[in-house]
Amino acid sequence: MNTTLHTAQTWLEEGRDVALATVVETWGSAPVPVGGHLIIDGSGNFAGSVSGGCVEAEVMARSEDVMASGKSELLEFGVANETAWGVGLACGGRIRVFVEKLG
Amino acid sequence: MQKDTLKALLDAQKKRRSFVRISPLAGGADDLVSEDHMPKDHPQASELAECFRTGRSKIVETPGGEVFLQAFLPAPRLMIIGATHIGQVLVRLAREVGVEPFVIDPRTAFATKERFGDVEIITKWPGEALGNLGLDRRCGVVCLAHVPDIDDEALEAALKSESFYIGALGSNRSHAKRLERLKKKGCDPDGFSRIHGPVGLDIGSVSPAEIALSIIAELVKTLRIQNGD
């Protein structure tokens, strides 16, 4: 957690756009606990994680909009969700991820 | 999150202060609440108190919609008493699970940079070293010196503190003798159940690395289950 936020601060100091994604709720099996962080910059570099790799790509895609508009978004992924299967959340869990712009 | 909020959170972690960040999930301004200055009449006072106690983050329903309470507690620390072979492995395993290790041993022949690399090594007696560092409720103490004078001094300090984890290497027999000594020194026997001795989860450890693994597993268990982190 701290390492990812430290990296975020470094990126901000370097003048990069940064989005912060936080796991805010989990149900069932979830490899990253509530409070877990993923950060993404404007060029698609990322650090940390919000899942075992299942939904990172989708979160990164949505974070582009968040960085552009500055408006936060609440994303939900789960087995009942077609998109989630599309991006491969096959572990049987469900998670909600809050994505916001940093800085 | 504003740049200043991020900086405040990272500074607080460095100073070992606990904060909760309150973020409205529908968007809108966030808020930081410090454990040291929590307003008693805060609408989420009981949920905030729980966050500070357990370190668990959670969503709370409010009249204004869902808010996420994220706990930012100081990183757990592990005071390793005795710069031994087990201690060498323990330093590496502690770091892997996000625990900051310190090595304390007055025997300068043991506590060397050559053996331990870039970890903070304190070549003082445990009483003084732990007094300087300070033991808060996010600190663990594990005694590995196997020298009663060194280990007992650290245990006395740990028992007086709020340390979440206290462990001491040695068999059931040597542990019983240790408790006798601590009693003679004036330690309150009511606190003896806080000491994990023999130290570590029983996974049949044989080598120093396996013992270090059993200790770190026990520490994680205490942090996550007993303390509800």
Side-chain angles (χ1 to χ4, degrees):
Chain A
M1 169 186 80
N2 301 342
T3 348
T4 308
L5 289 184
H6 275 115
T7 308
Q9 193 181 36
T10 309
W11 287 3
L12 283 176
E13 281 163 3
E14 288 168 3
R16 307 194 209 178
D17 280 340
V18 186
L20 171 70
T22 306
V23 179
V24 293
E25 201 165 17
T26 64
W27 298 264
S29 95
V32 174
V34 170
H37 290 308
L38 168 74
I39 55 166
I40 307 105
D41 77 359
S43 316
N45 295 301
F46 67 99
S49 62
V50 289
S51 77
C54 326
V55 303
E56 264 72 6
E58 178 68 11
V59 172
M60 285 164 68
R62 300 289 285 274
S63 70
E64 280 180 36
D65 302 336
V66 171
M67 278 186 271
S69 69
K71 273 186 71 180
S72 58
E73 270 198 60
L74 185 60
L75 312 177
E76 183 167 341
F77 302 95
V79 286
N81 180 326
E82 285 303 312
T83 327
W85 274 114
V87 297
L89 189 68
C91 51
R94 274 168 70 206
I95 57 170
R96 284 210 289 169
V97 178
F98 184 65
V99 188
E100 63 190 307
K101 187 179 171 155
L102 277 186
Chain B
M1 194 195 301
Q2 298 291 315
K3 212 183 240 177
D4 292 349
T5 310
L6 177 63
K7 192 174 176 298
L9 280 176
L10 293 175
D11 285 351
Q13 297 254 299
K14 231 181 273 166
K15 291 180 189 145
R16 300 191 71 73
R17 300 266 181 271
S18 300
F19 274 83
V20 169
R21 181 186 177 221
I22 307 177
S23 328
L25 291 182
D30 61 356
D31 191 18
L32 276 192
V33 181
S34 150
E35 185 177 25
D36 301 332
H37 304 105
M38 199 181 84
K40 283 206 176 67
D41 54 352
H42 195 286
Q44 280 88 45
S46 67
E47 286 96 342
L48 285 166
E50 191 192 325
C51 277
F52 284 124
R53 188 175 54 80
T54 65
R56 275 200 200 115
S57 306
K58 63 188 261 187
I59 290 177
V60 174
E61 293 281 352
T62 73
E66 284 181 319
V67 296
F68 181 57
L69 308 185
Q70 181 156 24
F72 290 90
L73 267 48
R77 287 181 161 176
L78 179 59
M79 310 300 177
I80 301 168
I81 314 299
T84 59
H85 191 180
I86 298 172
Q88 288 175 300
V89 185
L90 203 48
V91 163
R92 298 201 297 270
L93 295 181
R95 284 185 166 152
E96 285 298 331
V97 297
V99 173
E100 188 186 5
F102 292 79
V103 177
I104 299 168
D105 198 323
R107 301 168 297 177
T108 47
F110 282 73
T112 65
K113 229 180 165 47
E114 223 168 20
R115 300 182 64 230
F116 280 87
D118 76 342
V119 60
E120 188 159 347
I121 304 169
I122 301 147
T123 50
K124 288 188 161 78
W125 280 82
E128 187 186 352
L130 295 175
N132 292 342
L133 283 167
L135 286 177
D136 58 37
R137 66 188 172 94
R138 299 281 288 169
C139 290
V141 178
V142 63
C143 300
L144 307 173
H146 233 269
V147 176
D149 284 350
I150 299 175
D151 287 342
D152 291 0
E153 193 176 302
L155 289 171
E156 280 185 79
L159 287 169
K160 279 185 206 146
S161 75
E162 288 185 282
S163 301
F164 74 91
Y165 176 82
I166 308 173
L169 187 72
S171 64
N172 278 315
R173 234 182 100 201
S174 67
H175 188 59
K177 283 188 196 160
R178 170 162 41 223
L179 297 183
E180 279 306 312
R181 289 195 306 272
L182 290 173
K183 208 168 151 186
K184 275 189 193 140
K185 285 185 176 177
C187 292
D188 183 358
D190 285 354
F192 290 173
S193 61
R194 291 172 65 201
I195 307 175
H196 295 265
V199 74
L201 292 186
D202 185 5
I203 53 170
S205 302
V206 175
S207 70
E210 289 169 3
I211 294 167
L213 179 67
S214 77
I215 294 171
I216 212 72
E218 188 172 65
L219 182 135
V220 169
K221 186 181 173 192
T222 311
L223 191 65
R224 295 293 190 195
I225 300 175
Q226 267 109 301
N227 287 36
D229 189 0

